[in-house]
Amino acid sequence: MMTSQEGQRVDWETARQRAADRARKLWALSLSLFVVLVVSIAVSDFLKPLLLQVREWRELSPTGGVAPGEVLTWVSLRALWAAPALALAAAIWAAQNYLRHLGAGELWNAGTARLLRRVGSALLLSAALTAVGVPSGTRWLEARGGFDVTLSTEVLTLGVLGALLIVMADLLKDVLQTSSALKADSDGFV
């Protein structure tokens, strides 16, 4: 006859295995989405605009002489404008990394709190780059100098969500540490 504790252990093991199986499938999907996103950023933010810019540079200077400073400024601007999207891609990378660990059978451990913190940090970084980094960096790269802030409801929401995820990660980390300590104490009594 199975005790209640053994029944719970079997249920836990079944749930853990189901979660691991689903996580392995989601890991492959999330890794694919990450690759598609990074390629999309490279194509839409660099390659496609570069082809158009090269055509414009050729029209302006038929001899092909474009100042290296102009090319460097153009590339720097494109990288700056892509930075918020790359920060969001980092959140997807963190999620796929977590799913890989989850697929290996690791449930509700410190990795969960780390995932929430990394995703929250990526969202917060993307919002900060969009609101302050890109507008100010653009001013400096275009030799206008100064500081600029561009706020929108979407950017504020992204930043608040990121900050909330960071706080939730800290709370979850504390809960997991407390539950581990309580489990160790209860295991000591058995």
Side-chain angles (χ1 to χ4, degrees), residues 151-171:
L151 293 177
S152 69
T153 305
E154 295 85 4
V155 170
L156 290 173
T157 302
L158 196 64
V160 168
L161 182 59
L164 286 173
L165 283 174
I166 291 169
V167 170
M168 288 169 49
D170 290 341
L171 290 172

Side-chain angles (χ1 to χ4, degrees), residues 80-85 87-88 119-138 147-163 166:
L80 181 65
W81 295 338
L88 293 176
V119 170
S121 297
L123 295 177
L124 192 57
L125 176 61
S126 180
L129 286 169
T130 301
V132 180
V134 171
S136 297
T138 299
F147 180 76
D148 197 4
V149 175
T150 303
L151 293 177
S152 69
T153 305
E154 295 85 4
V155 170
L156 290 173
T157 302
L158 196 64
V160 168
L161 182 59
I166 291 169

Side-chain angles (χ1 to χ4, degrees), residues 36-131:
V36 167
L37 179 62
V38 170
V39 169
S40 173
I41 291 169
V43 169
S44 67
D45 288 342
F46 289 102
L47 295 179
K48 186 177 173 183
L50 180 61
L51 293 174
L52 296 173
Q53 188 63 41
V54 166
R55 186 178 304 143
E56 184 179 318
W57 283 333
R58 283 186 180 159
E59 290 172 2
L60 294 175
S61 177
T63 61
V66 178
E70 185 178 343
V71 174
L72 182 60
T73 299
W74 186 90
V75 170
S76 299
L77 281 169
R78 299 309 303 183
L80 181 65
W81 295 338
L86 290 172
L88 293 176
I92 295 172
W93 181 258
Q96 73 77 31
N97 192 36
Y98 175 72
L99 287 168
R100 186 172 47 85
H101 289 289
L102 195 61
E106 301 174 24
L107 296 179
W108 289 104
N109 58 19
T112 306
R114 276 193 305 275
L115 167 71
L116 289 176
R117 177 172 271 291
R118 286 179 180 156
V119 170
S121 297
L123 295 177
L124 192 57
L125 176 61
S126 180
L129 286 169
T130 301

Side-chain angles (χ1 to χ4, degrees), residues 4 6 13 21 26 34 37 65-66 71 87 97 140 161 167 176:
S4 172
E6 289 170 338
E13 186 56 34
D21 291 342
L26 287 173
F34 172 78
L37 179 62
V66 178
V71 174
N97 192 36
W140 282 97
L161 182 59
V167 170
L176 290 172

